[in-house]
């Protein structure tokens, strides 16, 4: 298995290109299930999770045309099942449930089960489909859903679930009548999906707010669309500039998606300059700040671990509170091995800054925890060897090349 070896202590400098967003590309690729004909999407990132969803869609009969824009053709569907083998490697596989059911009247999707960052149930997806008239049974670890035609309904989400909102929004496009999603997720990735669905002829309003209205249509047609920039990747590079005392400009980004992060990084002593489609982030003397994760537009849970790495070398005390996922502190033990002083109290981590971290062999447990350990390694004295790099490859495109181009002493060792 590959490892990433980092020799810390170099301030990162230069420009880095922001890739397309994994979390937007995943639902947008599955939305192709709603149409007959070939869709074309630009800026699909080259990531393990994207290969996984292509494998899953391929198993359902979807064909791909590789090119600058990825062609996705779901004209002839041959299957209705997302197997355990694929779903357990990527929970977002659940995103096929809504569109598959709406298009074919049937879907069989493995229940994802637990994962490294908590139980992460899919009860809200299931309940919403039931409210739209689907018959849903849980059998042999699978969700088996049937509905000749879904019916529009008013759905209240107990929590603003991102993939839940996306799944039901897709299903509602082909439903009979109007669906209202209340307490819907407001993430930019939801709006990116809504924009693509509108391109397919769907009638959707309110995306980006917590009430989304979908007026169902009998059918949709193929479209062309573009994936938005990955705000988590961009944020990771901005925090990398802060933790190394460097100066990094993320180009091809969308500064409008970063309000909570930018405010927090400025409070933490960084200089952030917003340009048209670029963000310049320059480190200064780090100031310890408190962070609380929240659904968008709050501080993203997917940047919590990276921010903790920076606070680990702050001058004082920082309380980092995770409100979106239970158990999302798997990186803490590894940071402690690098010399950090962190105590977990319930859903908060109390971080007492230390003057410097020390390189160590560390192990990734999930995608964002891996990014945190990369940042810690960049700031640490000496050598850090990160194993289980496959977590990182799920969500960061060409990560070691991008960091190396900014001056990081980082390389991948094939194993
Ligand atoms: C998505 C993102 C993930 C991000 C997360 C929160 C994708 C592919 N993944 O994950 O990177 O960390 O949003 O921003 O877009 N919940 C339930 N029941 C449900 C669904 C969710 O209780 O049926 C809970 C979850 O356990 C969690 C909260 O709702 O506590 C939010 O989770 P959710 O927004 O659904 O996360 P994902 O969509 O899986």
């Amino acid at each position: 298995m590959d490892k990433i070896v980092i020799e810390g202590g170099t301030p990162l400098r230069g420009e880095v290109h922001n890739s397309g967003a994994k979390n937007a590309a995943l639902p947008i690729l599955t939305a192709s299930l709603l149409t007959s004909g070939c869709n074309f999407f630009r800026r699909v990132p080259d990531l393990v999770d994207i290969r996984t969803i292509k494998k899953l869609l391929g198993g359902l009969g979807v064909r791909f045309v590789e090119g600058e824009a990825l062609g996705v053709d779901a004209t002839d569907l041959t299957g209705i099942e997302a197997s355990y083998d694929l779903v357990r490697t990527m929970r977002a596989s659940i995103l096929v449930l809504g569109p598959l059911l709406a298009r074919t009247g049937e879907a069989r999707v493995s229940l994802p089960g637990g994962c490294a960052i908590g139980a992460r149930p899919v009860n809200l997806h299931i309940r919403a489909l039931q409210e739209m008239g689907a018959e849903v049974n849980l059998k042999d670890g699978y969700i088996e859903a049937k509905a000749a035609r879904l019916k529009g309904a008013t759905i209240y989400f107990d929590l603003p679930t991102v993939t839940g909102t996306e799944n039901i929004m897709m299903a509602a496009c082909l439903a009979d009548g109007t669906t209202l999603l209340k307490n819907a997720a407001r993430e930019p990735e939801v709006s990116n999906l809504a924009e693509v669905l509108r391109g397919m002829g769907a009638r959707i309003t309110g995306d980006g707010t917590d009430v989304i209205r979908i007026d169902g249509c009998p059918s949709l047609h193929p479209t062309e669309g573009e994936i938005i920039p990955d705000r988590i990747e961009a944020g990771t590079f901005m925090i990398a500039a802060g933790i190394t005392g460097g100066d990094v400009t993320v180009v091809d980004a969308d500064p409008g998606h970063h309000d909570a992060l930018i405010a927090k990084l400025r409070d933490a002593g960084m200089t952030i300059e917003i340009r048209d489609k670029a963000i310049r982030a320059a480190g200064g003397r780090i100031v310890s700040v408190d962070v609380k994760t929240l659904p968008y537009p709050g501080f993203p849970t997917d940047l919590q671990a990276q921010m903790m790495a920076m606070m680990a070398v702050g001058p004082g005390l920082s309380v980092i509170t995770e409100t979106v996922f239970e158990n999302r502190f798997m990186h803490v033990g590894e940071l402690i091995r690098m010399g950090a002083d962190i105590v977990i109290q319930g859903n908060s981590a109390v971080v007492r800054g230390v003057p410097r971290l020390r390189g160590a062999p560390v192990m990734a447990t999930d995608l964002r925890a891996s990014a945190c350990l990369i940042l810690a390694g960049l700031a640490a004295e000496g050598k850090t060897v990160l194993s289980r790099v496959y977590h990182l490859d799920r969500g960061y495109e060409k990560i070691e090349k991008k960091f190396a181009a900014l001056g990081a002493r980082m390389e991948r060792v094939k194993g």
Side-chain angles (χ1 to χ4, degrees):
M1 271 190 283
D2 292 4
K3 292 185 170 149
I4 286 186
V5 181
I6 306 162
E7 206 51 72
T10 310
L12 301 188
R13 290 187 196 287
E15 279 192 1
V16 61
H17 161 76
N18 200 177
S19 295
K22 166 179 91 69
N23 286 354
L26 290 172
I28 286 172
L29 295 187
T30 66
S32 304
L33 289 169
L34 295 166
T35 65
S36 186
C38 196
N39 296 276
F40 286 94
F41 302 120
R42 290 181 303 281
R43 209 170 174 173
V44 176
D46 181 15
L47 300 168
V48 171
D49 272 9
I50 298 298
R51 276 173 239 151
T52 306
I53 202 80
K54 282 164 86 177
K55 196 167 165 192
L56 170 50
L57 292 172
L60 301 172
V62 174
R63 281 171 301 169
F64 295 94
V65 184
E66 298 296 334
E68 206 197 318
L70 176 68
V72 192
D73 186 338
T75 306
D76 301 309
L77 292 184
T78 51
I80 57 145
E81 180 174 306
S83 72
Y84 177 61
D85 276 353
L86 285 171
V87 180
R88 82 187 156 86
T89 61
M90 188 183 71
R91 299 179 43 83
S93 307
I94 189 76
L95 283 165
V96 299
L97 178 63
L100 201 52
L101 178 63
R103 170 93 182 275
T104 69
E106 227 178 328
R108 190 167 187 269
V109 178
S110 170
L111 277 164
C115 71
I117 58 173
R120 291 183 86 173
V122 289
N123 57 313
L124 301 175
H125 303 232
I126 294 173
R127 208 186 67 190
L129 290 174
Q130 285 170 327
E131 282 170 343
M132 295 176 77
E135 186 192 319
V136 183
N137 291 305
L138 302 184
K139 206 171 148 214
D140 307 327
Y142 278 74
I143 305 164
E144 296 185 343
K146 280 191 186 153
R149 177 133 193 232
L150 292 165
K151 292 183 205 53
T154 295
I155 288 155
Y156 173 78
F157 288 115
D158 239 3
L159 292 162
T161 161
V162 178
T163 48
T165 301
E166 293 164 344
N167 227 342
I168 306 309
M169 186 165 76
M170 288 190 275
C173 290
L174 292 182
D176 193 10
T178 298
T179 299
L180 282 181
L181 304 182
K182 297 190 172 179
N183 199 24
R186 291 180 282 168
E187 270 67 2
E189 293 76 17
V190 174
S191 296
N192 195 187
L193 172 64
E195 193 185 311
V196 165
L197 291 169
R198 278 191 289 266
M200 292 173 171
R203 293 177 297 164
I204 303 175
T205 52
D207 49 290
T209 76
D210 62 357
V211 181
I212 302 178
R213 176 184 169 126
I214 306 113
D215 291 300
C217 328
S219 66
L220 298 178
H221 54 75
T223 188
E224 288 178 15
E226 178 159 318
I227 310 299
I228 57 171
D230 194 313
R231 61 197 169 93
I232 306 304
E233 186 206 39
T236 301
F237 284 115
M238 289 156 71
I239 300 171
I243 198 171
T244 62
D247 191 335
V248 171
T249 301
V250 186
V251 297
D252 305 319
D254 189 335
H257 294 164
H258 292 280
D259 292 348
L261 175 68
I262 288 173
K264 198 51 82 177
L265 293 182
R266 284 183 174 147
D267 284 353
M270 290 182 67
T271 302
I272 309 288
E273 255 177 53
I274 297 169
R275 298 175 187 161
D276 179 22
K277 284 186 179 163
I279 309 168
R280 176 179 162 239
R285 250 175 57 90
I286 295 176
V287 175
S288 296
V289 290
D290 293 342
V291 180
K292 187 178 192 178
T293 66
L294 287 168
Y296 190 84
F299 191 94
T301 172
D302 285 351
L303 287 173
Q304 177 257 107
Q306 297 88 318
M307 196 66 189
M308 192 183 297
M310 183 156 119
M311 290 300 102
V313 290
L317 194 71
S318 158
V319 178
I320 300 188
T321 306
E322 174 58 60
T323 75
V324 179
F325 289 114
E326 56 183 297
N327 235 347
R328 202 174 202 180
F329 286 136
M330 305 294 280
H331 42 285
V332 168
E334 298 299 280
L335 284 175
I336 291 173
R337 295 186 53 254
M338 295 178 74
D341 181 351
I342 306 172
V343 177
I344 298 176
Q345 286 179 354
N347 67 341
S348 292
V350 180
V351 186
R352 283 188 183 78
V354 295
R356 64 187 51 81
L357 297 172
R358 291 181 303 275
V362 287
M363 200 181 280
T365 46
D366 69 57
L367 172 54
R368 307 307 172 185
S370 320
C372 150
L373 297 173
I374 293 269
L375 299 195
L378 287 169
E381 218 166 54
K383 193 184 349 179
T384 296
V385 181
L386 176 71
S387 51
R388 300 207 180 156
V389 171
Y390 53 84
H391 289 295
L392 209 55
D393 293 334
R394 291 185 49 191
Y396 287 91
E397 197 175 42
K398 304 190 183 92
I399 186 156
E400 73 278 10
K401 293 202 176 77
K402 286 190 178 189
F403 272 117
L406 295 172
R409 287 177 293 167
M410 183 188 294
E411 60 172 3
R412 180 182 294 251
V413 179
K414 296 270 173 202

